[in-house]
Amino acid sequence: MIGVSTAFAEGRLMPVQGTSIAHSVDSLYYFLVIASTISCILLIGGMIYFAMKYRRKSDSDKVGTLTHSGLLEFTWSFVPFLIFMFVFGWGWYIYDQMRHPPKDAFEVHVVAKQWAWEFKYKSGKTSSNLVVPANTPVKLIMSSIDVLHSFYVPAFRIKQDVVPGMYTQVWFKSEMEGEFQIFCTEFCGTRHSEMLSKVLVLPQTEFEKWLGTDEYKGLSLLDIGKKLYTDKGCVACHSTSGVSGVGPSWKGVFGTLRKLDNGQEVAFDENYVRESVLTPSAKVLAGFKPGVMPTFQGSLSEQEITAIIEFLKSLK
Ligand code: HEC
Ligand SMILES: [Cu+2]
């Protein structure tokens, strides 16, 4: 994971610079930090120096006549003005680049919801991670189906609100292959902090292979569910035979009432499955330990969860 905390752990001041804009943003940021530090030293240092030098040493010290220097006042106003205008121009230049994606940018649709990201490609493929080719401009067209979210990739230095009822966009060109953390940076409810996905930047050819292969082509939801049951490792803990292992067996459970460890009873329905998969600790089945089942948040798309539900239904 490439977040701010890991940057510190690795002895860097900032997250890795995954895009060209990251270099520009960091340069501007460092300039501001250095310019502010110098101004602070000059100002506070000057103040302390003058306070010492001209302090009233004895009662007989007269309060001197205060005079005024037009040139001096002009200079200390005009020089900061020039610096501010310089920062403004520089910031504008970077911001303008960030706002305007190249015409030929590769487009991906992003759907934000409580509490997951979903990435939709024109080919019809959907993914819970944003998979993109390296060195290619990528434009994200984003919307939310519920509340305000915000799309943030620290390593790319891009951040954009994702708003229900409208589209917002952001673009980047990743110069580095690898895995980068996506955060939601707009508090969006209880599990806001779990709204995590990754950007996976692949070489062009590998990306095309990824995009071209529709791993579920021609499969029914039920077949997809069956495939995921083994591929995602549910099989290790959940049997379909009626015998419980680490987790409860799935045989004949759909549509029944389940007894939880807090004594409540809940219906084993679609929402229960969805919740169990995304946040296993929300409701724990009586007789089982919490914290054993990992969350599949970010590694199962909505379509895949639907497929698992269909598979569960089929296990009479
Ligand atoms: C490491 C073991 C493990 C794996 C892997 C695992 N689970 Fe679980 N699962 C559990 C345990 C233990 C429970 C019961 C405790 C709880 O409810 O958290 C459980 C509970 C559930 C429940 C609620 C079950 C009920 O009978 O009320 C569902 C639904 C579920 N898991 C789905 C899945 C799916 C889908 C996968 C694969 C994508 C999966 N699990 C992978 C261990 C696992
Ligand atoms: Cu969010």
Side-chain angles (χ1 to χ4, degrees):
M1 185 178 105
I2 295 154
V4 181
S5 51
T6 24
F8 280 118
E10 287 164 16
R12 272 181 287 105
L13 206 53
M14 300 279 257
V16 290
Q17 299 169 316
T19 53
S20 54
I21 211 77
H23 295 271
S24 314
V25 171
D26 289 3
S27 306
L28 177 56
Y29 177 74
Y30 287 133
F31 175 83
L32 284 173
V33 170
I34 292 167
S36 308
T37 310
I38 294 174
S39 316
C40 181
I41 291 171
L42 285 178
L43 240 104
I44 306 296
M47 200 178 75
I48 294 171
Y49 174 74
F50 286 121
M52 308 267 278
K53 186 167 158 77
Y54 297 110
R55 75 181 188 282
R56 199 167 173 191
K57 296 193 186 79
S58 68
D59 281 352
S60 58
D61 268 3
K62 281 206 229 62
V63 178
T65 5
L66 294 168
T67 54
H68 143 120
S69 160
L71 180 68
L72 206 57
E73 282 190 12
F74 176 77
T75 311
W76 78 48
S77 306
F78 193 67
V79 170
F81 171 74
L82 287 182
I83 297 174
F84 282 132
M85 286 317 286
F86 173 69
V87 169
F88 171 73
W90 189 0
W92 178 280
Y93 175 70
I94 297 174
Y95 184 71
D96 186 64
Q97 284 180 313
M98 291 172 115
R99 293 317 302 164
H100 296 106
K103 287 263 173 313
D104 60 344
F106 180 81
E107 295 184 345
V108 181
H109 285 266
V110 181
V111 179
K113 62 174 133 270
Q114 288 169 318
W115 290 278
W117 299 100
E118 198 160 80
F119 302 96
K120 301 189 185 224
Y121 294 80
K122 292 192 176 170
S123 65
K125 196 170 177 115
T126 55
S127 168
S128 52
N129 285 317
L130 174 58
V131 183
V132 296
N135 295 312
T136 310
V138 176
K139 173 173 154 188
L140 304 179
I141 303 157
M142 311 192 284
S143 194
S144 163
I145 58 165
D146 39 52
V147 297
L148 271 180
H149 300 275
S150 186
F151 181 87
Y152 180 36
V153 185
F156 292 180
R157 311 290 190 277
I158 54 165
K159 187 192 269 183
Q160 174 64 50
D161 277 5
V162 185
V163 184
M166 68 180 281
Y167 294 108
T168 53
Q169 64 173 49
V170 69
W171 82 276
F172 61 87
K173 182 172 155 188
S174 179
E175 295 187 323
M176 205 185 260
E177 282 159 25
E179 216 179 277
F180 306 94
Q181 187 66 50
I182 300 172
F183 292 104
C184 176
T185 46
E186 184 72 58
F187 180 67
C188 59
T190 325
R191 282 187 249 292
H192 160 68
S193 63
E194 291 164 36
M195 200 167 153
L196 303 168
S197 281
K198 296 238 157 82
V199 187
L200 306 176
V201 184
L202 303 177
Q204 183 71 36
T205 46
E206 248 176 74
F207 171 75
E208 270 158 26
K209 218 161 79 200
W210 176 87
L211 191 65
T213 48
D214 184 357
E215 45 187 333
Y216 302 135
K217 202 169 180 169
L219 291 184
S220 67
L221 275 182
L222 177 59
D223 289 337
I224 300 172
K226 205 177 283 174
K227 185 169 147 52
L228 288 168
Y229 170 66
T230 42
D231 289 1
K232 294 287 178 181
C234 319
V235 62
C237 304
H238 298 283
S239 83
T240 56
S241 64
V243 184
S244 289
V246 179
S249 166
W250 283 355
K251 188 180 163 73
V253 290
F254 200 92
T256 62
L257 281 179
R258 305 296 271 170
K259 207 169 173 61
L260 302 182
D261 63 352
N262 61 7
Q264 273 180 340
E265 283 202 335
V266 291
F268 195 116
D269 60 7
E270 285 87 352
N271 278 318
Y272 177 67
V273 176
R274 185 168 185 276
E275 185 181 51
S276 298
V277 169
L278 297 179
T279 41
S281 53
K283 297 195 175 73
V284 177
L285 196 65
F288 289 91
K289 271 198 288 262
V292 175
M293 171 157 162
T295 172
F296 289 88
Q297 177 102 51
S299 71
L300 286 174
S301 69
E302 289 298 321
Q303 187 209 11
E304 290 172 328
I305 296 174
T306 310
I308 288 176
I309 291 172
E310 286 309 309
F311 176 58
L312 270 159
K313 282 183 189 169
S314 75
L315 303 168
K316 301 258 162 48

